[in-house]
Amino acid sequence: MSLSDIDIAQQAKLLRIAKIAEKLGIPDTHLEPYGHYKAKVSLDFINDLKGRPDGKLILVTAVSPTPAGEGKTTTTVGLGDALNRIGKKTVICLREPSLGPVFGMKGGAAGGGRAQVVPMEDINLHFTGDFNAIALANNLLAATIDNHLHHGNALGIDVRRITWRRVVDMNDRALRDIVVGLGGTGNGYPREEASTSSWHPRSWPFSVSRRRSRISNTGSETWSSPIHASRNRFE
């Protein structure tokens, strides 16, 4: 009987992340551990690499998965393993999976079979908590907009044209078109709103200052012009 992806992942003997970092020449001072098997690398370390010669980049893209699950991630992980096996110093770069598709037909996003990233369950379900942090920040801004409307709407926001949506990291079809603000005057202005997945902000730039700038230039509309988060220090 063949093993499932999760059986293979749970039987794998994991190396501690500090050992992997040591092999890659990443000092402990630039490592932010999340337990024994996950860590973030500081941007200062990445900036320190600017003087080194560029390596070779292989881009794996536009692969439609087969019924067996052979797609971009599985191909990338397998290729990385193969290159390391023949002595090439290789690191793969994958996007963090959104929780939305994990329980659907697509399944997880950590590869499959013997070509997967572990700990698979952690990566697919929570990882380092970034998705939750992004969703909370996004929804805080949405709540701030509604709070501003409740307390007089000094900026003249057109409640019919609010474009900032609440987000949830889940494919929940019941939330695709909802009505918010029901229950009386204390709960805001009733209006239709479509929640969306929180995966899209993951394309934001690394730099904190650039992220702040992008958030500052988002917002809703007044009766005559766009209004940005920075105008009322929402960012």
Side-chain angles (χ1 to χ4, degrees):
M1 182 177 178
S2 60
L3 297 175
S4 66
D5 289 346
I6 194 166
D7 289 333
I8 294 170
Q10 291 178 342
Q11 289 180 13
K13 293 181 180 179
L14 306 186
L15 280 178
R16 294 200 172 212
I17 197 67
K19 280 286 186 185
I20 295 173
E22 184 181 337
K23 286 185 176 182
L24 296 173
I26 303 173
D28 289 344
T29 52
H30 288 298
L31 215 58
E32 183 181 345
Y34 285 76
H36 296 305
Y37 306 111
K38 299 172 291 184
K40 289 183 180 180
V41 179
S42 73
L43 291 179
D44 290 337
F45 174 75
I46 296 174
N47 292 332
D48 289 345
L49 301 178
K50 287 182 178 177
R52 297 190 185 182
D54 290 338
K56 293 182 172 63
L57 175 66
I58 301 173
L59 181 62
V60 179
T61 185
V63 178
S64 298
T66 67
E70 301 153 320
K72 293 184 290 294
T73 306
T74 305
T75 301
T76 300
V77 176
L79 182 59
D81 283 344
L83 289 171
N84 274 298
R85 184 64 179 268
I86 63 173
K88 303 295 182 182
K89 191 174 182 179
T90 308
V91 175
I92 63 172
C93 180
L94 306 170
R95 80 278 182 266
E96 181 177 344
S98 171
L99 182 60
V102 169
F103 296 104
M105 184 181 296
K106 182 179 179 296
R114 304 287 175 182
Q116 58 177 305
V117 186
V118 288
M120 183 257 273
E121 308 97 303
D122 290 10
I123 294 168
N124 279 322
L125 297 180
H126 186 70
F127 211 18
T128 57
D130 288 352
F131 267 142
N132 286 336
I134 289 171
L136 286 170
N138 184 99
N139 294 340
L140 175 61
L141 182 52
T144 304
I145 293 170
D146 281 304
N147 190 58
H148 181 82
L149 295 174
H150 178 74
H151 289 284
N153 194 11
L155 295 173
I157 296 173
D158 187 346
V159 296
R160 302 165 303 174
R161 304 174 71 185
I162 294 174
T163 56
W164 191 259
R165 300 176 175 183
R166 286 166 172 81
V167 298
V168 60
D169 186 28
M170 180 67 65
N171 284 353
D172 190 340
R173 64 181 67 251
L175 298 179
R176 290 176 183 172
D177 289 291
I178 58 177
V179 177
V180 299
L182 298 177
T185 57
N187 292 345
Y189 289 82
R191 65 179 186 278
E192 286 191 56
E193 182 175 292
S195 71
T196 186
S197 171
S198 61
W199 67 268
H200 66 280
R202 294 312 301 235
S203 61
W204 287 358
F206 281 134
S207 166
V208 174
S209 60
R210 289 178 63 192
R211 289 185 188 182
R212 187 183 183 92
S213 174
R214 189 171 295 187
I215 292 174
S216 297
N217 289 322
T218 60
S220 301
E221 295 191 23
T222 64
W223 293 287
S224 58
S225 61
I227 185 166
H228 297 151
S230 56
R231 277 190 57 182
N232 204 36
R233 298 182 179 178
F234 287 165
E235 82 279 16

